[in-house]
Every structure is written in structure tokens, then in C-alpha cells.
Amino acid sequence: MFPRRSKLIALVLAVVAALAFVGSAEAGWVTIKNDTAKAIVVQEVVVVNGKAVRGKPVKLNAGESFREFQNTPGVKNYEIYDAAAPNAPPVWSNQLNCKADKQTFSVAVQKNGRVGVTQVADGK
């Protein structure tokens, strides 16, 4: 009788422990919106064993958004290309701090004429 009870107690403790820590590693949705007048291509870049591995390129026309679930919070590397010149160097390449539950970033032409990415406050 005791072996079954100890197995049941171990199972219950394992489930409780798993549920207690489930919220601590959650990330969330990252939205990238194209606020330029041109089509762009957004691509995540991950460094594996010292080599840059590019993710699936996503083309965004003017005004379109791309929404992606990030399963782990952290700093993500992205590159943005001009869709009209796909073989040219990226027009923007940098890191985005993706640590909140829901974040939106805007791709826009800055005052200096270069493409930049800024975080947008929630609700905009």
C-alpha cells in the first residue's frame, strides 16, 4: 500500500512543481510593422557555432505587420532588407530586446534618411 501512495505523492508533487514554474520562462508575441513606403524583407538571424543562420524571410508591403511568437525571452538579432534589392546589404541590422509579454516594433525611415526600428508602446 505504501509504494502506491509514495508514487501518487511523487506524481502530485511533480505536477505542482511544474505548474509553479510554468510562468517564469514565458515570452510572448513580437510584432514588426512596416511603416515605410516600400516593401521590406524581415529576417531573424541566429548564431550557431560561430556561423550566422538566417531564418525564413518575411516580405512586408507598406503598412503590413508580421507577428511571431517567441517561445524564449531574450535579445533577438534581425536584419531588414529592401525587397526591391534583395542581394544588397541589409538596410538595418541590429538586436531587438524581446523580453516582454507582447511587444511591437515599427520599421520607419528616420530623420537622417536611414531605416530604423523603434519599439512602439502598447495600444498604438
Side-chain angles (χ1 to χ4, degrees):
M1 184 175 195
F2 288 110
R4 285 187 186 176
R5 183 180 290 174
S6 64
K7 288 181 183 179
L8 179 64
I9 291 172
L11 175 66
V12 169
L13 289 175
V15 169
V16 169
L19 292 175
F21 295 107
V22 80
S24 63
E26 289 183 4
W29 290 98
V30 175
T31 304
I32 299 175
K33 184 175 182 198
N34 181 6
D35 288 325
T36 67
K38 294 178 153 188
I40 61 170
V41 175
V42 178
Q43 195 168 24
E44 184 176 358
V45 179
V46 180
V47 177
V48 178
N49 294 331
K51 295 182 180 181
V53 178
R54 286 168 175 70
K56 179 182 176 185
V58 177
K59 182 180 178 184
L60 297 177
N61 291 317
E64 289 185 335
S65 296
F66 165 67
R67 189 172 178 208
E68 177 179 59
F69 184 77
Q70 299 287 343
N71 56 356
T72 56
V75 178
K76 309 289 183 181
N77 296 314
Y78 284 95
E79 291 181 345
I80 297 175
Y81 296 90
D82 184 355
N87 294 329
V91 294
W92 184 87
S93 178
N94 211 336
Q95 298 176 336
L96 295 179
N97 192 359
C98 303
K99 292 188 177 184
D101 195 25
K102 180 176 78 171
Q103 289 180 289
T104 302
F105 296 95
S106 171
V107 179
V109 178
Q110 307 295 316
K111 291 181 181 181
N112 61 6
R114 299 180 79 183
V115 173
V117 178
T118 55
Q119 186 171 352
V120 178
D122 288 336
K124 291 189 179 180

